[in-house]
Amino acid sequence: PNLCASWCGGVAAFLAAFCNLTLLASMLNIGVLLAYSSTAASILRINKARIPSEEKNWREFFKSESFLILSVLALAMLVARGDDIVPGSSRVAGALLVCDILWASFSRTYSSCPSGAFHCPGVPFTPLVAISANVYLGAQLSWHAWARLAVVSVIVTVAVGVLVVRDIESKDERKVAICKTVHAAAKAAGTKPGVCHACEEAAATVPEDKEV
């Protein structure tokens, strides 16, 4: 932790000394909001108890967590910026957002998976409220912050794409690495994560002498 704290403190001090603090704060704000929103969305997907159908069709998509998350994102954005497009639409979007969250809270079933490692109280109400609040706050930021986020996202996407194309790590190796990270985090938290069958299959295909 000392090394991480030193690096983070050094980078923060460098940026604060040579960058415009107003622009820097807006960029950091949107990064934090995005991270919190991603975590809340992940909680919904990890803790879902409904087993999806093997059939891939539009009806199954409308029942999925992905559609629920996208609908909440869109409605929260309309609550924040709807009046700029159509006067009065923010109130309508707000009412629909409340109905969407309440409908999901009473009609969907979630369980703590895997085995308490990612437990969140009040699922799905708490994550959905968090997503709505973060999107609403993010919509209030200037377009400069969104532009910087887009540039950084493109750079990261290209970098990851290059790693995948060069096949530095196989898909199975990446799965095993992710599972090891999850188990390490659960061990530190004092919980017992479940065993992912996909990761078991991936681990079986990775050579024993290959370090992941």
Side-chain angles (χ1 to χ4, degrees):
N2 294 332
L3 180 60
C4 293
S6 300
W7 271 103
C8 293
V11 172
F14 177 82
L15 292 176
F18 297 100
C19 297
N20 185 304
L21 292 181
T22 301
L23 298 178
L24 182 61
S26 64
M27 185 175 181
L28 293 177
N29 286 338
I30 197 171
V32 172
L33 293 174
L34 179 63
Y36 287 163
S37 299
S38 301
T39 302
S42 300
I43 290 295
L44 289 174
R45 297 186 62 86
I46 291 174
N47 286 278
K48 65 179 180 181
R50 181 179 56 83
I51 302 177
S53 172
E54 294 182 356
E55 299 180 3
K56 302 298 182 181
N57 52 46
W58 286 106
R59 182 175 297 179
E60 286 301 318
F61 173 73
F62 289 137
K63 296 178 181 178
S64 67
E65 278 66 33
S66 298
F67 178 75
L68 174 63
I69 294 169
L70 290 175
S71 64
V72 170
L73 286 173
L75 290 173
M77 187 67 71
L78 285 175
V79 171
R81 293 295 183 181
D83 286 340
D84 296 339
I85 303 173
V86 179
S89 59
S90 292
R91 295 182 179 179
V92 176
L96 292 175
L97 179 61
V98 172
C99 293
D100 194 10
I101 294 176
L102 292 178
W103 170 81
S105 300
F106 288 104
S107 66
R108 291 175 177 260
T109 302
Y110 291 82
S111 63
S112 180
C113 176
S115 301
F118 296 94
H119 178 68
C120 176
V123 177
F125 181 80
T126 303
L128 290 176
V129 171
I131 293 174
S132 303
N134 291 333
V135 172
Y136 180 85
L137 293 174
Q140 310 300 322
L141 299 175
S142 65
W143 68 270
H144 298 90
W146 288 95
R148 287 188 291 273
L149 176 64
V151 171
V152 173
S153 300
V154 169
I155 294 175
V156 172
T157 302
V158 171
V160 174
V162 170
L163 294 177
V164 173
V165 170
R166 294 183 62 183
D167 199 23
I168 293 179
E169 283 186 338
S170 68
K171 183 178 180 181
D172 290 334
E173 291 170 356
R174 288 195 296 272
K175 282 184 178 180
V176 174
I178 292 173
C179 280
K180 285 186 175 181
T181 302
V182 170
H183 279 257
K187 182 179 180 180
T191 56
K192 297 180 179 180
V195 178
C196 176
H197 296 293
C199 290
E200 280 187 330
E201 296 175 357
T205 62
V206 177
E208 294 182 359
D209 59 346
K210 178 72 174 180
E211 293 184 1
V212 180

